[in-house]
C-alpha cells in the first residue's frame, strides 16, 4: 500500500484531498443536526436534513454521470470542492431555520453526487489495473478512519467554542474544501493519464437524454452486473438506520444502550483492519469468493448481531460483518472499474449513487416500521437474511458464467484492456 502511494504521487494528493475535505464535513454535519434538534426538540423534523441529502443524491445521480462522462474528472473534482466551500460559507449567514438548513444540505449533497463518478473516472484513468484493488482498499481505509476521527474531532473543537462562535464550524468545513481543491490542482493533467484516460475526448452527438442515459445503463444487460448491484443496494437497505436499530436491540436485550458504541466500533475496526491488510490476498481470490461469498458472509454475520444477547457476541458478529463488508466493497469497486467501459463509467456510477440514496431512504423508513411491528433484533436478522440470499445468488451466478468463472481474480500481472467494469 505504502509502495503504491510512494510510486504514484497523484494517488497521494488525491488521498490527502479526500481526508481533509471529509474531516471538515463532520463540522457541518454535527452543527446542522445538533442546531436543528436543539431548536425543534423533534427527531422527525431533524430527519428532514437527512431526507434532503438523500433526495439530492437521488436527483443528482441521474445527471452527474452524463455531465461528467466526456469531461476531465480532475476539473470536476476541483469545481465540486470550490462549490461546496461556497455553499457552506453562505450557511454561516443563515438564520436558524429548518428549511434553510435543509436547502443547504440538499445543495451540498447534490454537489457531492458529482464527486464520486469523477473520482472513479480519475482513479481508473490514473491507476493501472493490477493496482486498483490496493488503491480501493486504501481509500476505504481512509474513509473509515475519517468516520472514526471526524465526529470526535468536530465535537471536541465545537465544545471549546462559545455558543455565539459555534457557526465557525461551517467556516472550518469551507476551509477544508478550499485546501482539498488546492491539493487537487497538483494532480496530473488529462494528457498524462494512462490509456483509459485517452477515451475522455468526444461527446454525445445528436443523442437525446434518454438515449445517453440508456447507453450508460447497458452494462446491466449482464445478469451478474444486476445481481451485484442488487446485493450492493440490499446491503445499504439493510444497514440504513443501523445505529438506531442497534441501540433499540441492545435496549431490548436489557443492556446499557451506550454499549452501542462498542458494537459500532467493532464494525469499524473490522472494516479498517481488513482494508489495511487484506487487499494483497483478496486480489488473488476467484470472483465468486470476492463478491458472492463475501456478500453471503456479510448477511449472515449482520443477522447474527440481531440474534446476539450479549455485548461480546454482538461485537464479534459486528467485527466479522465489517471484515466481509470491506472485502465486498473493495472487490465490487475493482470489479466495476474493470468490467464497465470507461466511456460509460461515470453514468453507471451516477446511477449507482442515485439508487444508493433511494435504497437508504426507503430502508430507513421500512426498517423503522419493522422495528415497531416486530423487534429491532428481528429486523436486523431479516435484513441480514436478504443480504445473504442475494450473496448466494451472486455466488452461483459467478460460478456458472464462463466469462467470470475463468477469472481467478483481478490480474496481478500486466493489465489487459477490457470492455467492461
Amino acid at each position: 500500500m505504502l509502495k503504491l502511494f510512494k510510486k504514484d504521487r497523484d494517488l497521494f494528493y488525491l488521498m490527502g484531498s479526500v481526508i481533509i475535505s471529509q474531516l471538515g464535513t463532520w463540522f457541518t454535519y454535527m452543527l446542522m443536526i445538533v442546531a436543528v434538534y436543539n431548536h425543534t426538540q423533534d427527531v422527525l423534523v431533524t430527519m428532514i436534513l437527512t431526507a434532503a441529502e438523500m433526495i439530492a443524491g437521488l436527483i443528482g445521480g441521474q445527471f452527474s454521470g452524463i455531465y461528467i462522462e466526456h469531461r476531465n474528472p480532475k476539473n470536476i473534482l476541483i469545481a465540486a470542492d470550490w462549490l461546496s466551500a461556497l455553499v457552506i460559507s453562505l450557511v454561516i449567514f443563515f438564520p436558524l431555520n429548518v428549511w434553510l438548513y435543509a436547502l443547504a444540505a440538499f445543495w451540498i449533497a447534490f454537489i457531492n453526487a458529482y464527486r464520486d463518478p469523477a473520482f472513479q473516472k480519475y482513479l481508473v484513468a490514473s491507476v493501472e489495473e493490477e493496482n486498483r484493488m490496493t488503491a480501493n482498499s486504501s481509500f476505504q481505509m481512509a474513509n473509515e478512519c475519517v468516520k472514526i476521527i471526524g465526529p470526535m474531532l468536530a465535537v471536541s473543537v465545537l465544545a471549546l467554542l462559545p455558543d455565539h462562535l459555534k457557526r465557525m464550524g461551517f467556516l472550518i468545513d469551507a476551509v477544508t474544501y478550499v485546501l482539498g481543491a488546492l491539493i487537487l490542482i497538483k494532480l496530473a493533467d488529462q494528457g498524462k493519464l494512462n490509456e483509459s484516460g485517452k477515451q475522455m475526448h468526444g461527446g454525445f452527438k445528436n443523442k437525446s437524454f434518454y438515449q445517453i442515459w440508456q447507453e450508460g445503463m447497458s452494462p446491466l444487460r449482464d445478469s451478474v452486473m444486476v445481481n451485484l448491484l442488487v446485493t450492493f443496494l440490499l446491503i445499504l437497505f439493510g444497514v440504513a438506520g443501523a445505529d438506531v436499530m442497534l441501540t433499540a436491540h441492545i435496549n431490548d436485550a436489557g443492556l446499557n444502550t451506550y454499549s452501542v458504541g462498542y458494537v459500532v466500533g467493532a464494525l469499524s475496526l473490522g472494516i479498517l483492519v481488513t482494508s489495511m491488510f487484506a487487499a494483497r490476498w483478496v486480489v488473488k481470490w476467484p470472483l465468486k469468493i470476492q463478491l458472492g461469498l463475501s456478500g453471503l458472509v456479510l448477511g449472515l454475520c449482520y443477522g447474527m448481531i440481531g440474534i446476539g444477547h450479549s455485548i461480546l457476541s454482538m461485537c464479534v458478529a459486528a467485527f466479522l460483518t465489517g471484515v466481509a463488508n470491506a472485502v465486498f466493497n473493495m472487490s465490487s469497486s475493482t470489479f466495476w472499474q474493470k468490467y464497465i467501459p470507461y466511456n460509460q463509467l461515470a453514468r453507471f456510477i451516477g446511477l449507482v449513487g442515485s439508487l444508493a440514496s433511494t435504497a437508504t431512504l426507503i430502508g430507513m423508513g421500512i426498517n423503522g416500521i419493522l422495528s415497531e411491528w416486530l423487534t429491532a433484533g428481528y429486523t436486523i436478522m431479516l435484513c441480514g437474511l436478504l443480504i445473504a440470499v442475494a450473496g448466494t445468488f451472486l455466488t452461483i451466478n459467478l460460478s456458472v458464467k464462463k466469462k467470470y468463472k475463468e477469472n481467478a481474480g483481478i490480474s496481478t500481472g500486466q493489465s489487459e484492456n477490457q470492455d467492461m467494469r
Side-chain angles (χ1 to χ4, degrees):
M1 184 183 297
L2 292 178
K3 290 181 180 179
L4 177 61
F5 281 86
K6 287 180 180 179
K7 177 183 176 182
D8 193 333
R9 302 300 293 178
D10 285 339
L11 268 186
F12 178 78
Y13 293 136
L14 193 59
M15 174 77 81
S17 173
V18 167
I19 291 175
I20 290 173
S21 60
Q22 287 192 3
L23 277 175
T25 299
W26 281 102
F27 285 85
T28 294
Y29 179 79
M30 299 296 291
L31 268 173
M32 282 188 169
I33 294 294
V34 173
V36 170
Y37 181 76
N38 288 340
H39 181 63
T40 63
Q41 294 294 309
D42 192 319
V43 175
L44 288 178
V45 172
T46 306
M47 288 182 68
I48 290 175
L49 298 178
T50 302
E53 292 178 346
M54 295 298 104
I55 293 171
L58 170 62
I59 297 173
Q62 298 296 325
F63 298 98
S64 60
I66 293 175
Y67 181 80
I68 293 166
E69 200 72 85
H70 294 292
R71 288 176 170 84
N72 190 333
K74 170 187 171 181
N75 294 338
I76 299 294
L77 290 169
I78 294 172
D81 276 359
W82 282 114
L83 287 172
S84 295
L86 176 61
V87 173
I88 293 167
S89 298
L90 293 175
V91 178
I92 298 173
F93 304 102
F94 285 3
L96 183 49
N97 179 281
V98 175
W99 296 109
L100 284 176
Y101 273 31
L103 181 64
F106 175 90
W107 282 111
I108 292 169
F110 187 84
I111 295 168
N112 281 336
Y114 285 73
R115 193 171 273 113
D116 191 44
F119 173 85
Q120 293 289 342
K121 291 276 284 189
Y122 190 88
L123 195 67
V124 171
S126 61
V127 179
E128 297 297 337
E129 183 183 312
E130 63 266 23
N131 293 325
R132 287 178 196 156
M133 180 74 79
T134 300
N136 287 320
S137 67
S138 300
F139 282 100
Q140 181 174 245
M141 180 188 69
N143 288 333
E144 205 58 36
C145 287
V146 169
K147 287 180 184 178
I148 297 171
I149 299 171
M152 294 188 295
L153 180 63
V155 169
S156 300
V157 173
L158 293 173
L160 296 174
L161 296 174
D163 288 342
H164 67 284
L165 290 179
K166 288 192 186 297
R167 284 173 174 264
M168 290 300 100
F170 293 126
L171 182 60
I172 293 172
D173 190 10
V175 169
T176 61
Y177 275 113
V178 171
L179 291 174
L182 293 175
I183 293 173
L184 289 172
I185 292 173
K186 288 181 167 290
L187 293 179
D189 291 327
Q190 175 179 330
K192 296 180 181 179
L193 301 179
N194 66 23
E195 289 297 319
S196 296
K198 293 180 181 179
Q199 302 176 42
M200 199 178 302
H201 296 288
F204 304 113
K205 296 179 180 179
N206 303 319
K207 290 183 179 180
S208 66
F209 177 87
Y210 177 73
Q211 288 175 321
I212 297 168
W213 182 87
Q214 189 179 42
E215 182 185 69
M217 300 309 106
S218 60
L220 291 179
R221 295 169 185 163
D222 186 330
S223 63
V224 169
M225 291 288 180
V226 175
N227 201 164
L228 177 57
L229 181 59
V230 168
T231 305
F232 173 75
L233 294 176
L234 280 176
I235 291 171
L236 294 178
F237 175 91
V239 301
D243 49 351
V244 177
M245 289 193 295
L246 286 172
T247 302
H249 175 51
I250 288 172
N251 181 67
D252 292 342
L255 303 169
N256 189 328
T257 51
Y258 286 106
S259 300
V260 69
Y262 296 118
V263 180
V264 174
L267 177 67
S268 295
L269 183 62
I271 296 174
L272 187 60
V273 172
T274 307
S275 300
M276 289 177 65
F277 302 109
R280 69 181 71 177
W281 295 293
V282 174
V283 73
K284 300 175 183 178
W285 295 349
L287 289 174
K288 61 183 178 182
I289 296 179
Q290 286 185 13
L291 299 167
L293 188 60
S294 66
L296 170 61
V297 172
L298 191 160
L300 292 176
C301 292
Y302 185 61
M304 286 171 59
I305 299 176
I307 300 175
H309 290 284
S310 69
I311 291 299
L312 179 59
S313 62
M314 291 183 201
C315 284
V316 171
F319 178 83
L320 294 175
T321 301
V323 170
N325 188 40
V327 172
F328 182 86
N329 284 343
M330 71 174 78
S331 300
S332 59
S333 294
T334 307
F335 179 83
W336 280 332
Q337 289 163 359
K338 178 182 174 71
Y339 287 102
I340 292 179
Y342 184 80
N343 60 4
Q344 296 176 3
L345 184 59
R347 282 170 285 174
F348 187 85
I349 296 299
L351 172 72
V352 171
S354 181
L355 292 176
S357 296
T358 305
T360 303
L361 192 60
I362 295 174
M364 290 175 66
I366 293 180
N367 290 341
I369 294 171
L370 287 176
S371 296
E372 292 291 328
W373 288 352
L374 305 173
T375 64
Y378 281 127
T379 302
I380 293 171
M381 289 168 56
L382 181 60
C383 290
L385 179 62
L386 286 174
I387 297 169
V389 169
T392 301
F393 279 113
L394 183 56
T395 304
I396 296 171
N397 213 346
L398 286 166
S399 298
V400 299
K401 279 258 184 174
K402 185 178 179 181
K403 175 180 178 181
Y404 304 112
K405 183 179 179 181
E406 294 177 352
N407 186 354
I410 305 300
S411 173
T412 55
Q414 184 179 358
S415 65
E416 301 169 1
N417 292 324
Q418 298 288 345
D419 291 333
M420 301 191 72
R421 172 184 168 178

